[in-house]
């Protein structure tokens, strides 16, 4: 139901991608496609790398950006899980998250009620929160790249060479279920600047869906 808020969060590694290889931009694009209320990051490697992730999402997405930092990477101390950052160490990141574009701030693993109190004190009545942009464009995303179309991005290069029409060698390879030539065409078009690829495998006797 549209009356139920949906917050879509992901966890990122130190290199700024998820365990499945998705970037912050990919996650933002996917969340928009599912009509989420907000998109963001939680847990991960601690608050420092999360500032950049928030900024990257805010620069791309029309959604509210949400962040729930953990209190640093946990370790085992005296047989118990210990998080290295207390509320006073986390507090400076509240302003940094706001400056990066966050509109919702919470806490994840290792954060305490004292930290949440400090978040509330800092953000109550906060006028600096970034409002969601209303850019009239569409986002499309693969696992590794997001592309904006329309709005302030009127031109997108689309590679259309992956087409067997008039290409006997490609047609024969598709009939045999071989994709080497198709993949070579794709790589050449990406190198030439293609942001989207149009794939045509329509040849007689070829199993097109497969």
């Amino acid at each position: 139901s549209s009356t139920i808020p949906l917050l879509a969060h992901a966890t990122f590694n130190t290199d700024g991608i998820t365990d499945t290889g998705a970037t912050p931009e990919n996650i933002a694009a996917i969340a928009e496609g599912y009509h989420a209320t907000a998109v963001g990051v939680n847990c991960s490697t601690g608050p420092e790398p999360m500032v950049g992730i928030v900024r990257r999402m805010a620069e791309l997405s029309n959604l509210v950006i949400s962040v729930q930092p953990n209190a640093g990477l946990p370790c085992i101390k005296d047989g118990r899980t210990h998080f290295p950052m207390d509320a006073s160490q986390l507090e400076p990141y509240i302003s940094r998250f706001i400056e990066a574009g966050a509109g919702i701030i919470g806490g994840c693993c290792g954060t305490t009620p004292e930290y949440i109190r400090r978040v509330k004190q800092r953000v109550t009545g906060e006028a600096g929160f970034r409002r969601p942009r209303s850019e009239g464009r569409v986002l499309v995303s693969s696992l590794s790249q997001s592309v904006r179309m329309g709005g302030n991005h009127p031109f997108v290069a689309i590679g259309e060479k992956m087409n067997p029409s008039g290409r006997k060698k490609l047609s024969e390879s598709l009939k045999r279920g071989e994709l080497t030539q198709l993949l070579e065409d794709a790589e050449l078009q990406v190198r030439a600047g293609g942001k989207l690829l149009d794939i045509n495998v329509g040849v007689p006797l070829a199993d097109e869906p497969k």
Side-chain angles (χ1 to χ4, degrees), residues 182-198:
L182 207 63
L183 292 171
E184 289 176 356
D185 286 348
E187 185 173 356
L188 287 172
Q189 290 178 101
V190 170
R191 287 182 179 179
K195 296 296 183 182
L196 302 174
L197 298 180
D198 176 45

Side-chain angles (χ1 to χ4, degrees), residues 38-65:
V39 64
V41 51
N42 67 280
C43 201
S44 301
T45 56
E48 182 63 38
M50 298 169 81
V51 175
I53 291 170
V54 168
R55 182 175 294 109
R56 288 171 64 178
M57 287 185 169
E59 289 173 351
L60 178 77
S61 182
N62 285 345
L63 301 178
V64 175
I65 307 302

Side-chain angles (χ1 to χ4, degrees), residues 57-135:
M57 287 185 169
E59 289 173 351
L60 178 77
S61 182
N62 285 345
L63 301 178
V64 175
I65 307 302
S66 174
V67 57
Q68 289 180 278
N70 55 321
L73 290 174
C75 61
I76 302 299
K77 192 173 183 179
D78 298 327
R80 300 181 65 182
T81 301
H82 171 74
F83 288 86
M85 302 180 73
D86 60 23
S88 63
Q89 293 170 302
L90 285 168
E91 186 172 10
Y93 286 98
I94 301 171
S95 294
R96 293 183 63 188
F97 287 138
I98 293 171
E99 291 166 3
I104 298 173
I105 301 176
C108 201
C109 308
T111 57
T112 62
E114 174 58 28
Y115 163 71
I116 299 300
R117 278 193 288 271
R118 296 188 186 202
V119 170
K120 183 179 179 181
Q121 290 170 0
R122 177 66 181 82
V123 304
T124 299
E126 172 60 54
F129 272 126
R130 171 191 168 277
R131 300 298 186 267
R133 64 177 76 224
S134 57
E135 185 183 20

